[in-house]
Amino acid sequence: MNHRQYIAAMSALGYSRAGAEDLIWLSKDATDVVLRTNNFVPRGDGLYEIWITDERDNFFRVSKDDREFLGTLSEAYELIYEEKREWLEAHPDAQRHSE
């Protein structure tokens, strides 16, 4: 999944373009993280980690299947999409970020 496909997929879930964009940040490197929900941090060889922030503005690497996520940019977009899709299925009355 590339960026355009991510936006289209999130749109199908009810997110606006701005709402979908606000969920991610494509960092230049580990020093370029911001207070977005998901920072895609390049680790070399075309691989990325996903770093998230908590309520105290600390950054943590995302884990999947009890292992820290390390994958392609496409896999990072897909992971975020799948997490949101699954959460929305479990919470059908939840309001999407459509602003």
Side-chain angles (χ1 to χ4, degrees), residues 4-7 9 13-14 19 23 25 40 42-43 48 50 53-54 56 59 71 80 82-85 97:
R4 181 184 49 77
Q5 293 166 325
Y6 163 78
I7 296 297
L13 293 179
L23 294 174
W25 174 255
F40 295 170
R43 300 311 295 172
Y48 291 79
I50 300 174
T53 57
D54 67 5
R56 296 178 187 232
F59 290 91
I80 302 310
E82 285 299 322
E83 284 180 349
K84 293 301 177 187
R85 183 188 62 73
H97 297 282

Side-chain angles (χ1 to χ4, degrees), residues 25-34 38-44 46-52 59-62 69-73 76:
W25 174 255
L26 184 56
S27 302
K28 290 181 262 179
D29 57 41
T31 66
D32 182 41
V33 292
V34 297
N38 301 283
N39 288 269
F40 295 170
V41 180
R43 300 311 295 172
L47 298 176
Y48 291 79
E49 294 176 329
I50 300 174
W51 292 13
I52 59 173
F59 290 91
F60 300 94
R61 289 176 179 91
V62 168
F69 173 84
L70 183 64
T72 65
L73 186 56

